[in-house]
Amino acid sequence: MDDQWDTHKLEHAAIQDTQQPSICSCRDMGHPNANADHLAPLLRDKLMPLRMWWLKHAPGAMSQFRKGLEHKKLGAPGVCNFVDARTKWFDHIVEDSLTNQGIKQVVCVAAGFDTRAYRFGAKHPNVRFFEVDLPHASDKKKQLVQQLLQPETAYPRPTYLPADLSKVNIDQVLLQAAHLTSSTNR
């Protein structure tokens, strides 16, 4: 495996769906085209325990939530279908890139609570996943992942790259990560 970050292949890095955990209630709402992200609900439930308890236990709460979410004036009509379609599309692009195009590195910029590194990592052990996010977001995600996604062999960890991209260039972040990971792999 090549430990150098190839800056000429930045075009292969996919901007990914980081809104998934907050809206993944679409699956809970019984949408027939729900996406296959089985990890997002774990993160969501841990991040928003009161909301999820209310939605699961209060009579009619899920129906009211859906009506509010899809309300044509107060909500975002079609948001559930949009998130599911976007997640499926990105999953397809990532899977195709890893399986058919030989991509060996995936960078998720502004990773948020995206779960692709964990869902695709075990299936593609020779691919390196990098997640770039603000330091506090990266720390929070690492804590949640450590609590919820065990064992690590089933859910390989990406290289977390805490960085504020309004202050540093992504090339610098990725080159520094390549240097650090290549020196630890020797």
Side-chain angles (χ1 to χ4, degrees), residues 97-111:
S97 297
L98 300 178
T99 303
N100 300 321
Q101 298 177 33
I103 299 299
K104 297 295 180 199
Q105 299 180 106
V106 176
V107 178
C108 182
V109 178

PDB file of all heavy atoms in Angstrom, residues 97-111:
ATOM      1  N   SER A  97     -16.095   3.122  -6.946  1.00  0.00           N
ATOM      2  CA  SER A  97     -14.718   3.622  -6.998  1.00  0.00           C
ATOM      3  C   SER A  97     -13.747   2.653  -6.337  1.00  0.00           C
ATOM      4  O   SER A  97     -12.638   2.451  -6.834  1.00  0.00           O
ATOM      5  CB  SER A  97     -14.629   4.986  -6.313  1.00  0.00           C
ATOM      6  OG  SER A  97     -15.413   5.928  -7.007  1.00  0.00           O
ATOM      7  N   LEU A  98     -14.161   2.050  -5.238  1.00  0.00           N
ATOM      8  CA  LEU A  98     -13.286   1.121  -4.526  1.00  0.00           C
ATOM      9  C   LEU A  98     -13.189  -0.224  -5.242  1.00  0.00           C
ATOM     10  O   LEU A  98     -12.109  -0.810  -5.324  1.00  0.00           O
ATOM     11  CB  LEU A  98     -13.794   0.910  -3.098  1.00  0.00           C
ATOM     12  CG  LEU A  98     -13.882   2.161  -2.223  1.00  0.00           C
ATOM     13  CD1 LEU A  98     -14.452   1.817  -0.866  1.00  0.00           C
ATOM     14  CD2 LEU A  98     -12.549   2.852  -2.108  1.00  0.00           C
ATOM     15  N   THR A  99     -14.297  -0.704  -5.750  1.00  0.00           N
ATOM     16  CA  THR A  99     -14.348  -2.034  -6.358  1.00  0.00           C
ATOM     17  C   THR A  99     -13.856  -2.046  -7.806  1.00  0.00           C
ATOM     18  O   THR A  99     -13.095  -2.923  -8.199  1.00  0.00           O
ATOM     19  CB  THR A  99     -15.786  -2.581  -6.302  1.00  0.00           C
ATOM     20  OG1 THR A  99     -16.211  -2.586  -4.942  1.00  0.00           O
ATOM     21  CG2 THR A  99     -15.874  -3.983  -6.859  1.00  0.00           C
ATOM     22  N   ASN A 100     -14.283  -1.087  -8.598  1.00  0.00           N
ATOM     23  CA  ASN A 100     -14.036  -1.138 -10.037  1.00  0.00           C
ATOM     24  C   ASN A 100     -12.976  -0.173 -10.552  1.00  0.00           C
ATOM     25  O   ASN A 100     -12.488  -0.342 -11.661  1.00  0.00           O
ATOM     26  CB  ASN A 100     -15.341  -0.883 -10.798  1.00  0.00           C
ATOM     27  CG  ASN A 100     -16.391  -1.911 -10.450  1.00  0.00           C
ATOM     28  OD1 ASN A 100     -16.094  -3.088 -10.284  1.00  0.00           O
ATOM     29  ND2 ASN A 100     -17.630  -1.462 -10.310  1.00  0.00           N
ATOM     30  N   GLN A 101     -12.638   0.845  -9.762  1.00  0.00           N
ATOM     31  CA  GLN A 101     -11.701   1.843 -10.259  1.00  0.00           C
ATOM     32  C   GLN A 101     -10.378   1.840  -9.509  1.00  0.00           C
ATOM     33  O   GLN A 101      -9.502   2.642  -9.802  1.00  0.00           O
ATOM     34  CB  GLN A 101     -12.345   3.224 -10.206  1.00  0.00           C
ATOM     35  CG  GLN A 101     -13.574   3.312 -11.104  1.00  0.00           C
ATOM     36  CD  GLN A 101     -14.261   4.651 -11.010  1.00  0.00           C
ATOM     37  OE1 GLN A 101     -13.612   5.672 -10.823  1.00  0.00           O
ATOM     38  NE2 GLN A 101     -15.574   4.649 -11.138  1.00  0.00           N
ATOM     39  N   GLY A 102     -10.244   0.979  -8.525  1.00  0.00           N
ATOM     40  CA  GLY A 102      -8.973   0.833  -7.829  1.00  0.00           C
ATOM     41  C   GLY A 102      -8.595   1.961  -6.887  1.00  0.00           C
ATOM     42  O   GLY A 102      -7.427   2.101  -6.526  1.00  0.00           O
ATOM     43  N   ILE A 103      -9.549   2.754  -6.487  1.00  0.00           N
ATOM     44  CA  ILE A 103      -9.257   3.838  -5.549  1.00  0.00           C
ATOM     45  C   ILE A 103      -8.784   3.228  -4.235  1.00  0.00           C
ATOM     46  O   ILE A 103      -9.384   2.290  -3.719  1.00  0.00           O
ATOM     47  CB  ILE A 103     -10.506   4.728  -5.340  1.00  0.00           C
ATOM     48  CG1 ILE A 103     -10.940   5.367  -6.656  1.00  0.00           C
ATOM     49  CG2 ILE A 103     -10.267   5.778  -4.256  1.00  0.00           C
ATOM     50  CD1 ILE A 103      -9.917   6.262  -7.297  1.00  0.00           C
ATOM     51  N   LYS A 104      -7.696   3.766  -3.677  1.00  0.00           N
ATOM     52  CA  LYS A 104      -7.113   3.224  -2.443  1.00  0.00           C
ATOM     53  C   LYS A 104      -7.165   4.197  -1.272  1.00  0.00           C
ATOM     54  O   LYS A 104      -6.729   3.874  -0.180  1.00  0.00           O
ATOM     55  CB  LYS A 104      -5.655   2.803  -2.682  1.00  0.00           C
ATOM     56  CG  LYS A 104      -5.516   1.681  -3.696  1.00  0.00           C
ATOM     57  CD  LYS A 104      -6.161   0.423  -3.184  1.00  0.00           C
ATOM     58  CE  LYS A 104      -6.045  -0.718  -4.177  1.00  0.00           C
ATOM     59  NZ  LYS A 104      -7.002  -1.768  -3.904  1.00  0.00           N
ATOM     60  N   GLN A 105      -7.675   5.391  -1.512  1.00  0.00           N
ATOM     61  CA  GLN A 105      -7.810   6.382  -0.450  1.00  0.00           C
ATOM     62  C   GLN A 105      -9.135   7.113  -0.621  1.00  0.00           C
ATOM     63  O   GLN A 105      -9.479   7.492  -1.730  1.00  0.00           O
ATOM     64  CB  GLN A 105      -6.667   7.409  -0.503  1.00  0.00           C
ATOM     65  CG  GLN A 105      -5.308   6.794  -0.329  1.00  0.00           C
ATOM     66  CD  GLN A 105      -4.217   7.836  -0.400  1.00  0.00           C
ATOM     67  OE1 GLN A 105      -3.654   8.173   0.617  1.00  0.00           O
ATOM     68  NE2 GLN A 105      -3.929   8.338  -1.584  1.00  0.00           N
ATOM     69  N   VAL A 106      -9.840   7.296   0.482  1.00  0.00           N
ATOM     70  CA  VAL A 106     -11.087   8.052   0.471  1.00  0.00           C
ATOM     71  C   VAL A 106     -10.957   9.136   1.529  1.00  0.00           C
ATOM     72  O   VAL A 106     -10.607   8.860   2.684  1.00  0.00           O
ATOM     73  CB  VAL A 106     -12.308   7.155   0.788  1.00  0.00           C
ATOM     74  CG1 VAL A 106     -13.582   7.992   0.857  1.00  0.00           C
ATOM     75  CG2 VAL A 106     -12.440   6.048  -0.247  1.00  0.00           C
ATOM     76  N   VAL A 107     -11.225  10.358   1.128  1.00  0.00           N
ATOM     77  CA  VAL A 107     -11.182  11.489   2.052  1.00  0.00           C
ATOM     78  C   VAL A 107     -12.591  12.025   2.199  1.00  0.00           C
ATOM     79  O   VAL A 107     -13.237  12.375   1.214  1.00  0.00           O
ATOM     80  CB  VAL A 107     -10.260  12.614   1.525  1.00  0.00           C
ATOM     81  CG1 VAL A 107     -10.279  13.804   2.475  1.00  0.00           C
ATOM     82  CG2 VAL A 107      -8.849  12.091   1.332  1.00  0.00           C
ATOM     83  N   CYS A 108     -13.057  12.070   3.417  1.00  0.00           N
ATOM     84  CA  CYS A 108     -14.361  12.660   3.707  1.00  0.00           C
ATOM     85  C   CYS A 108     -14.103  14.023   4.351  1.00  0.00           C
ATOM     86  O   CYS A 108     -13.588  14.095   5.465  1.00  0.00           O
ATOM     87  CB  CYS A 108     -15.152  11.747   4.638  1.00  0.00           C
ATOM     88  SG  CYS A 108     -16.796  12.380   4.987  1.00  0.00           S
ATOM     89  N   VAL A 109     -14.429  15.076   3.628  1.00  0.00           N
ATOM     90  CA  VAL A 109     -14.215  16.441   4.101  1.00  0.00           C
ATOM     91  C   VAL A 109     -15.467  16.898   4.833  1.00  0.00           C
ATOM     92  O   VAL A 109     -16.579  16.687   4.358  1.00  0.00           O
ATOM     93  CB  VAL A 109     -13.895  17.381   2.922  1.00  0.00           C
ATOM     94  CG1 VAL A 109     -13.710  18.812   3.395  1.00  0.00           C
ATOM     95  CG2 VAL A 109     -12.655  16.892   2.184  1.00  0.00           C
ATOM     96  N   ALA A 110     -15.283  17.513   5.996  1.00  0.00           N
ATOM     97  CA  ALA A 110     -16.397  17.896   6.870  1.00  0.00           C
ATOM     98  C   ALA A 110     -17.199  16.637   7.202  1.00  0.00           C
ATOM     99  O   ALA A 110     -18.398  16.555   6.987  1.00  0.00           O
ATOM    100  CB  ALA A 110     -17.258  18.987   6.242  1.00  0.00           C
ATOM    101  N   ALA A 111     -16.506  15.652   7.726  1.00  0.00           N
ATOM    102  CA  ALA A 111     -17.038  14.297   7.910  1.00  0.00           C
ATOM    103  C   ALA A 111     -18.281  14.230   8.780  1.00  0.00           C
ATOM    104  O   ALA A 111     -19.121  13.356   8.573  1.00  0.00           O
ATOM    105  CB  ALA A 111     -15.955  13.382   8.495  1.00  0.00           C
TER     106      ALA A 111
END
